Amino acid sequence: MREMEVIIDTEEIAEFFYRELLQRGYTPSEEESDVLADITFDYLIEKSIIDEDSEE
C-alpha cells in the first residue's frame, strides 16, 4: 500500500483559522491568523505529527 504524502502549509492553516474564527463571530487580523498558524505548525512538530523537514 502506497503512503500518501500530505503537505501541511502554514498559509493554509492561517486561512482555516481565519474562516473558522469569522464563523464564530471573531474578526482576526491577517497577522493574528498567521501567528495562530505558526503556533499550530510548531505544535504539530512538537507532537511528532509532522516532521520539521516537511516544511517545504
Side-chain angles (χ1 to χ4, degrees):
M1 183 178 205
R2 200 174 110 200
E3 189 174 316
M4 193 167 110
E5 182 178 333
V6 176
I7 297 174
I8 297 176
D9 178 43
T10 54
E11 185 175 319
E12 185 179 342
I13 295 170
E15 290 171 9
F16 176 81
F17 272 108
Y18 184 80
R19 285 191 316 272
E20 291 297 316
L21 287 167
L22 285 177
Q23 288 179 354
R24 290 167 168 78
Y26 297 96
T27 308
S29 69
E30 185 176 335
E31 182 180 353
E32 290 168 326
S33 295
D34 290 342
V35 169
L36 285 171
D38 287 340
I39 291 168
T40 302
F41 195 82
D42 292 342
Y43 176 78
L44 295 173
I45 290 171
E46 187 175 306
K47 293 296 183 177
S48 300
I49 294 170
I50 60 173
D51 188 325
E52 192 166 10
D53 295 334
S54 300
E55 186 178 11
E56 293 180 4

